[in-house]
Amino acid sequence: MDIIEKKGKKKKVLLMGKSGSGKSSMRSIVFSNYVAKDTRRLGATIDVEHSHVKFLGNLTLNLWDCGGQDAFMENYLQHQRDHVFANVAVLIYVFDIESREFDRDLVTYSAVARALSENSSGARIFCLIHKMDLVQAEYRQKLFEERSSLLKERSEGFDIIVFATSIWDETLYKAWASIIYTLIPNLSIIETYLRRFAEIIEAEEVVLFERTTFLVVCHVSQQGLGNPNDDRFERISNIIKTFKQSLSRFTSSPKSAPQFTEIELRAPRFSLFIDRLTSNTYILVVVKPGESDLNTAKMNVKIAREDFERLDVTGDGKKPARTRDSSSRAELDAGEEDAGRDTEY
């Protein structure tokens, strides 16, 4: 198969907020495989910490973790305005729910949004109302709605999205997965391939995770199969990240290492496995209980790897992933003209 080289897409992401709001902690959990309790030893960010995070091969996040001390914020807005706020794809602004200076925080946020509108009018803004675990459960939703309403009023015309987050539960993964979802350049093609793949193997659910962060990239669920756990994907992300961190600690392997090749679970009502799909992704497949369905799904993942790898790297969507069901040959057609090909197995 011909491999087409394509220059990866680099997206600039600003991570901003008041000092102590939890920016560096969430960054370390999501991208460096920290667990929540380990973030207590992190110090305050000085000025701007730059990091390049490779995500799904074709996408690189140019992450700017900006110190939130007053002197730094003034410097960004007054002296480095054209530099810091230029060519921004996403602004993630973090608010500490326990801040006693929320009105002042709003003024600073509004100034940042104004600078962004002048230099990167096409950027998207996500606001994270953080440390929600510190609020009593019965007051969380009301307080979140009140803060969200105020933020939308002070966003200088941007159509913002607001999340309630905590490093102690799955809300952090849900927020960051939603943010990354908007940045993946070939996401619609990946979703089309994954949907057809799930149909062919008759999977009840298929979920694609990014390898390092284990954030959800996309998922396909069989229609008519309701699941009361709407946050199940984020819970899985949280569980696997904790599991990988434990493996790293006991095997002395790097936190960024793959840590495992496959996880399998067999239950009376379903079977599932998590396996490597490409060098940048893991796939979770849920099928009906039974040896044949499970083995067929595993075989199809292996067959489809080559073409999903190509899609991951190039994002051109020209060649479909190959797969077969338990009884006959089948093709994964992405819906593009002349995209299909016959393959004998």
Side-chain angles (χ1 to χ4, degrees), residues 41-277:
R41 66 175 184 262
L42 295 173
T45 302
I46 304 301
D47 202 5
V48 180
E49 291 186 6
H50 298 273
S51 57
H52 290 81
V53 182
K54 189 177 181 183
F55 199 93
L56 283 180
N58 198 34
L59 172 66
T60 299
L61 301 184
N62 182 13
L63 187 61
W64 293 38
D65 185 356
C66 302
Q69 293 90 334
D70 291 343
F72 293 142
M73 294 300 290
E74 183 180 353
N75 186 41
Y76 306 147
L77 292 167
Q78 299 298 328
H79 306 294
Q80 298 189 57
R81 193 181 188 93
D82 295 339
H83 172 62
V84 172
F85 297 101
N87 304 312
V88 176
V90 164
L91 166 66
I92 303 171
Y93 206 97
V94 183
F95 291 88
D96 184 347
I97 191 64
E98 284 206 320
S99 173
R100 297 181 179 181
E101 299 179 322
F102 184 69
D103 290 340
R104 185 180 176 188
D105 297 342
L106 274 179
V107 172
T108 304
Y109 164 69
S110 186
V112 167
R114 193 176 308 116
L116 192 66
S117 67
E118 294 170 359
N119 293 275
S120 301
S121 58
R124 303 192 65 173
I125 297 180
F126 296 88
C127 292
L128 308 187
I129 301 178
H130 196 45
K131 304 182 182 180
M132 290 296 289
D133 58 287
L134 300 177
V135 180
Q136 293 183 35
E138 60 267 29
Y139 300 122
R140 287 175 190 169
Q141 186 60 34
K142 181 180 179 181
L143 186 56
F144 171 73
E145 291 174 356
E146 290 175 352
R147 295 289 170 92
S148 297
S149 178
L150 290 172
L151 290 173
K152 290 175 181 178
E153 292 175 3
R154 303 294 292 271
S155 294
E156 300 294 323
F158 282 98
D159 186 14
I160 70 168
I161 298 177
V162 187
F163 294 97
T165 58
S166 167
I167 63 173
W168 298 100
D169 59 31
E170 62 280 352
T171 55
L172 182 65
Y173 293 98
K174 182 173 184 178
W176 276 89
S178 299
I179 294 167
I180 299 298
Y181 184 90
T182 67
L183 294 171
I184 300 174
N186 56 336
L187 184 62
S188 61
I189 301 175
I190 294 175
E191 287 181 326
T192 300
Y193 275 49
L194 200 68
R195 187 177 302 109
R196 183 63 181 137
F197 178 80
E199 290 173 356
I200 290 173
I201 68 173
E202 298 181 348
E204 295 185 358
E205 198 152 56
V206 178
V207 189
L208 194 64
F209 295 93
E210 199 275 332
R211 181 183 68 86
T212 303
T213 64
F214 234 81
L215 293 175
V216 177
V217 176
C218 57
H219 67 90
V220 177
S221 301
Q222 193 178 116
Q223 291 186 354
L225 293 177
N227 193 310
N229 299 309
D230 293 334
D231 59 352
R232 60 192 180 280
F233 306 135
E234 292 75 27
R235 288 187 181 186
I236 293 171
S237 293
N238 202 355
I239 292 168
I240 296 297
K241 287 291 286 289
T242 303
F243 176 59
K244 288 178 65 178
Q245 204 274 346
S246 297
L247 288 177
S248 175
R249 185 170 63 252
F250 289 114
T251 62
S252 300
S253 57
K255 290 182 179 180
S256 59
Q259 309 295 355
F260 67 91
T261 55
E262 182 180 330
I263 295 176
E264 182 180 308
L265 173 65
R266 304 187 187 200
R269 297 176 61 184
F270 67 90
S271 296
L272 72 78
F273 65 93
I274 301 174
D275 196 5
R276 181 186 65 84
L277 182 60

Side-chain angles (χ1 to χ4, degrees), residues 327-339:
S327 59
S328 64
R329 180 186 66 202
E331 291 179 304
L332 183 60
D333 185 352
E336 300 186 11
E337 186 174 354
D338 300 325

